[in-house]
Amino acid sequence: MIAFFDASALIYLIEGAEPFAAQVRSRVAAVATQYPDLALAVSRLSWLECRIRPLRRDDHATLAAYDAFFERPDLIWLELTRDVVELATVIRARHGLRTPDALQAACCLQLGDDHVLFTGDDAFRRVAGLNVNRL
């Protein structure tokens, strides 16, 4: 099983706003209990989206926390390849997701059936094949 984090889930987790951070930790822990070999995955889009606010605010501590997470050697990176962008285009056209969300959904679908998508956005539920864990 692979846990894919969209940017909202990572922001809740890393920036620690309560009760959201505790909720993310609890949900991830529950999935990890069920799947002890749980792997973690992100897209390059999450990396971009998570780093914007700390960079704007010159918040080095938060940026360092994100960098520590993104530098994990066991982290699976999903790239925005041509195939991902093509699938995101179809998702956006059929389900009305915003472009960033369509890209995230397309990245997550590259993982196959054995994934769980951690997100704060209900819009992902419209996409068939996504195993959404709404925070």
Side-chain angles (χ1 to χ4, degrees), residues 1-4 31 35 37-41 76 78 108-118 129-132:
M1 181 64 69
I2 300 172
F4 180 87
V31 172
Y35 301 97
D37 294 331
L38 184 69
L40 306 180
I76 298 168
L78 296 164
C108 187
L109 288 170
Q110 303 305 300
L111 297 170
D113 293 336
D114 292 333
H115 73 270
V116 58
L117 167 62
F118 286 102
L130 285 179
N131 303 318
V132 178

Side-chain angles (χ1 to χ4, degrees), residues 3 16 20 28 49-50 76 83 86 90 98 112 116 124:
F20 302 110
V28 173
E49 289 182 318
C50 289
I76 298 168
D83 289 343
E86 285 184 21
V90 172
R98 298 171 319 166
V116 58
F124 287 104

Side-chain angles (χ1 to χ4, degrees), residues 14-15 47-48 50-56 58-71:
I14 304 287
E15 294 191 30
W47 179 69
L48 178 152
C50 289
R51 298 177 77 244
I52 292 170
R53 188 167 48 187
L55 284 169
R56 280 187 184 150
D58 206 23
D59 182 350
H60 299 286
T62 301
L63 192 58
Y66 280 117
D67 288 345
F69 178 84
F70 289 124
E71 290 171 359

Side-chain angles (χ1 to χ4, degrees), residues 20-42:
F20 302 110
Q23 188 176 11
V24 174
R25 287 189 301 271
S26 173
R27 296 276 182 95
V28 173
V31 172
T33 299
Q34 189 176 358
Y35 301 97
D37 294 331
L38 184 69
L40 306 180
V42 295

